């Protein structure tokens, strides 16, 4: 066994672990968004009790509901992007269309409904981690022409 083989083995293991972590994160976040998106249409998860929510969070949710389309649009985006993430197809596109939604989810929990801030931080971290893992796919889009 040569010195190069001994040095290369841990590096190869590190790359494999990173690849598996990316896949697990992609699938879990995909399942989360696909499930919440589907719930927006089928309502199979119980809605939170408004009496346990901050008044600003209740008002914001009521305003979205009152538009007659915004919650359905958000649910559709979550569902499509979640399915793309789970399937591993068009992952950079799914991340790009989810980015504004993830920022909004985070800001809602920072400013209006602090009770869900923990999961919002996890979702932001996953989005950033996946965007970093797919950074080579984003590079052409971010070049000035």
């Amino acid at each position: 066994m040569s010195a190069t083989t001994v040095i290369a083995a841990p590096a190869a293991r590190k790359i494999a672990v990173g690849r598996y972590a990316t896949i697990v994160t992609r699938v879990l976040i995909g399942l989360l968004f696909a499930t919440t998106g589907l719930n927006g249409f089928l309502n199979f998860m119980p809605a939170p009790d408004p009496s346990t929510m901050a008044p600003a969070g209740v008002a914001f949710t009521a305003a979205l509901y009152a538009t007659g389309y915004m919650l359905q649009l958000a649910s559709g985006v979550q569902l499509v992007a979640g399915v793309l993430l789970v399937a591993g197809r068009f992952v950079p596109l799914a991340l790009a269309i989810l980015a504004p939604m993830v920022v909004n989810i985070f800001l809602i929990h920072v400013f209006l409904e602090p009770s869900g801030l923990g999961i919002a931080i996890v979702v932001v971290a996953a989005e950033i981690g996946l965007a970093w893992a797919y950074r080579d796919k984003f590079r052409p889009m971010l070049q000035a022409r």
Side-chain angles (χ1 to χ4, degrees), residues 4-142:
T4 339
T5 307
V6 174
I7 293 171
R13 232 178 287 133
K14 186 176 179 181
I15 291 170
V17 169
R19 183 176 51 211
Y20 290 126
T22 298
I23 292 169
V24 168
T25 302
R26 176 178 54 78
V27 170
L28 289 177
I29 290 300
L31 287 172
L32 174 69
F33 278 109
T35 303
T36 55
L38 195 58
N39 183 62
F41 295 109
L42 303 179
N43 297 316
F44 53 85
M45 292 188 288
D49 181 12
S51 67
T52 64
M53 296 173 61
V58 172
F60 182 75
T61 304
L64 290 177
Y65 186 76
T67 65
Y69 75 92
M70 189 55 78
L71 289 179
Q72 293 83 357
L73 176 64
S75 295
V77 168
Q78 289 179 16
L79 179 60
V80 169
V83 168
L84 290 174
L85 289 174
V86 170
R89 305 289 296 176
F90 302 103
V91 173
L93 175 63
L95 293 173
I97 64 174
L98 279 177
M101 191 161 290
V102 168
V103 169
N104 193 45
I105 289 168
F106 177 72
L107 293 176
I108 286 170
H109 289 291
V110 167
F111 293 110
L112 302 177
E113 188 57 51
S115 66
L117 187 58
I119 189 69
I121 290 171
V122 169
V123 170
V124 167
E127 175 84 10
I128 291 170
L130 288 171
W132 180 259
Y134 287 89
R135 66 189 175 276
D136 291 340
K137 305 294 182 190
F138 290 106
R139 197 166 279 134
M141 180 175 68
L142 299 174

